[in-house]
Amino acid sequence: MPVRPELPDIPFQDLVTHHQTLAHELEAAVMRVAASGSYILGTEVAAFEREAAVALGATHAVGLSSGTDALLAILMALGIGRGDEVVTTPFSFFASAGVIERLGAIPVFADIDPETFNLDSDAAVARIGRHTKAVVAVHLFGRVARLPSLEALCAAEQIPLVEDAAQAIAACGDNSRWGRRVGTIGRAASLSFFPSKNLGAMGDGGMVITSDGALADRLRLLRVQGAKPKYHHPMVGGNFRLDEIQAAVLRVKLPHLFYWSERRRQIAARYRAALANTPMGLPPEDPGSVWSQFVIRVRNGRRDALANHLKSKRIATAIYYPEPLHLQPCFAHLGYRVGHFPQAERACSEALALPIYPELGEDAVDRICDTIKSFS
C-alpha cells in the first residue's frame, strides 16, 4: 500500500470546508441541471451572466470555458494577430503572455512596481511603440493595478487596455471600495473561476466583462466556433463555452462573494498587524483589494528556508511565481536575458504566499505569524 503524504495542519487552501457550508445548495443546483437535459449554453449560463453583470457593475458578461480562454478570446475579438505587439508584465501566471504568443503576436514585457508586484505604469508606457496593438494589465494577487500614465496614453493612442482580472474579481481600483471595479477600467476584463479563485467553480470556467456591446457580441460568436447560425461561420472561433453545471455552481456561490472578500480583507489586516515589526516585506494596505493571495517578501535569499520552516510546523505556503515570464524557455526567441527586468526577477526570488481564505480562523493566522516570528 502506498503511503499517503501527511497533510498540513494549516493547508494553503481548504476547498472541502469551503464547499461544506453550501453542500445542500450545490447538490440541488447540480441535480437541477442534470434533470433539465440541457447542458451547454442553457438557462443557467444565461442567468449567471445576468447576475454576475449586476453584481460586478458590468454592462455585459460573457461566460467562457476558462480564464485563459477568456483572455485569449478578448485578444481574438480585438483582432490581435501575427506580428502585433502586446505590452504586458513578466510577473504573472503564464497565460497572461501565453495567449499573446498563441495568436502569433509578440509579448513585450515591462517591469513591475516593487511594492505592489503589478505592472509599472511608466515602464509600460516606455515599451509602447508603433507596432503596439494592445496592453494586458494584470491585477495581481487581488490588487487593482494603478496605471495613470499608461491609461492616459492608451486612451490618447486608441490602444485597447485589457484587464487580466483572473485574481481580482470585484476588486476596486482607487483605494476605495466604491471606486472603479475591475472590468470598468479597460476595454474588457477576463475573469477566472478556477476552483482556487475567490469565486471558484467545481471545475473550470471563465468570463469576460465589458461595457462594449459590440465586443460582447463578438465574444459570444467566438465561443461557439464563430458560428451564427449553426454551421455557418462568419469567423474562426473556438470551443470556449461555460458549462451549465459550472454556471449553476457559480450562481450558488456568487451571493457570498462580497462577504468572502471582506473576510479576506480581515485576514490580510491581521497578517499586516502581526508581522509589522518583522523583517518581512509586507504588501501595502489596500482597502480595495480582494486578497486572492497574501504575498510577503523574504529578503537576503531566505525565502525557501522560511517556506521549509513553515512546512516543518505543518503550515503550507506557495510560491507565486518562481520564474519570470521573460526567462521562460518558450520565450527564448524574444531575446530577453537575466537583468532585463530586475524587479520581476527579484520578486521571483523573494515572494512567498501565505494561506488566506474565508474559512481560515484567527487562531490559525496567529499560529502562522508566530511561526514566522520564530524563524531565524
Side-chain angles (χ1 to χ4, degrees):
M1 291 288 291
V3 178
R4 294 183 61 186
E6 190 174 29
L7 297 176
D9 292 343
I10 303 177
F12 188 68
Q13 193 162 37
D14 187 355
L15 293 179
V16 173
T17 300
H18 179 67
H19 289 123
Q20 281 176 344
T21 57
L22 300 173
H24 295 301
E25 294 172 76
L26 290 169
E27 182 179 0
V30 170
M31 294 310 298
R32 181 175 69 243
V33 175
S36 73
S38 176
Y39 307 131
I40 300 293
L41 291 184
T43 58
E44 298 291 343
V45 169
F48 177 58
E49 289 175 337
R50 291 192 301 270
E51 291 158 6
V54 171
L56 301 175
T59 308
H60 304 279
V62 182
L64 295 154
S65 44
S66 70
T68 298
D69 288 341
L71 187 57
L72 176 67
I74 293 173
L75 297 182
M76 291 174 68
L78 292 173
I80 303 300
R82 188 162 303 279
D84 293 337
E85 294 183 355
V86 180
V87 175
T88 193
T89 172
F91 188 68
S92 179
F93 180 62
F94 178 77
S96 301
V99 296
I100 299 168
E101 182 79 11
R102 284 171 63 184
L103 293 175
I106 302 167
V108 175
F109 297 112
D111 214 349
I112 62 170
D113 177 340
E115 187 176 52
T116 66
F117 297 114
N118 275 325
L119 192 63
D120 180 286
S121 187
D122 293 338
V125 165
R127 299 290 284 159
I128 289 179
R130 61 191 182 93
H131 297 296
T132 304
K133 294 297 188 287
V135 174
V136 174
V138 181
H139 303 309
L140 200 66
F141 304 146
R143 179 190 304 275
V144 174
R146 297 187 174 94
L147 306 166
S149 58
L150 181 61
E151 286 185 55
L153 182 60
C154 286
E157 299 295 328
Q158 297 186 317
I159 297 171
L161 177 61
V162 176
E163 302 171 64
D164 180 343
Q167 300 179 11
I169 186 171
C172 296
D174 66 347
N175 213 33
S176 164
R177 295 179 195 179
W178 310 112
R180 294 187 305 169
R181 293 195 183 279
V182 296
T184 66
I185 299 168
R187 186 77 171 272
S190 61
L191 305 176
S192 171
F193 303 127
F194 187 77
S196 63
K197 294 295 190 287
N198 290 26
L199 182 64
M202 299 182 78
D204 220 332
M207 177 170 275
V208 172
I209 52 177
T210 181
S211 59
D212 185 331
L215 184 67
D217 288 342
R218 196 168 176 85
L219 289 164
R220 293 188 179 97
L221 187 60
L222 282 166
R223 72 179 173 184
V224 290
Q225 306 283 2
K228 187 176 182 180
K230 190 174 182 179
Y231 304 128
H232 177 74
H233 299 262
M235 63 190 303
V236 175
N239 181 2
F240 301 148
R241 301 170 301 197
L242 177 64
D243 287 344
E244 280 284 281
I245 283 180
Q246 301 306 333
V249 166
L250 290 163
R251 290 184 69 197
V252 171
K253 299 176 77 173
L254 180 62
H256 303 274
L257 174 62
F258 291 94
Y259 164 74
W260 291 336
S261 297
E262 184 59 33
R263 178 63 190 143
R264 287 173 178 271
R265 293 186 186 103
Q266 293 169 2
I267 295 169
R270 196 172 187 90
Y271 273 134
R272 284 178 43 79
L275 298 175
N277 296 318
T278 70
M280 305 303 158
L282 302 179
E285 183 179 6
D286 186 350
S289 176
V290 293
W291 299 103
S292 62
Q293 309 295 345
F294 188 88
V295 179
I296 63 174
R297 282 185 178 271
V298 189
R299 301 184 175 94
N300 301 318
R302 306 194 72 201
R303 190 265 310 279
D304 293 348
L306 176 57
N308 287 331
H309 176 66
L310 288 160
K311 183 178 180 181
S312 74
K313 304 300 182 183
R314 299 172 57 80
I315 298 169
T317 60
I319 295 175
Y320 298 98
Y321 294 92
E323 189 174 3
L325 296 179
H326 67 285
L327 299 180
Q328 294 289 345
C330 64
F331 294 137
H333 64 284
L334 298 176
Y336 294 111
R337 298 289 184 269
V338 173
H340 277 166
F341 305 111
Q343 296 297 346
E345 292 165 25
R346 180 182 166 204
C348 287
S349 69
E350 295 181 348
L352 184 67
L354 305 179
I356 186 166
Y357 45 91
E359 298 77 23
L360 188 66
E362 294 182 354
D363 289 347
V365 176
D366 292 343
R367 177 177 162 185
I368 294 166
C369 293
D370 289 343
T371 304
I372 291 172
K373 291 175 186 177
S374 72
F375 175 67
S376 60

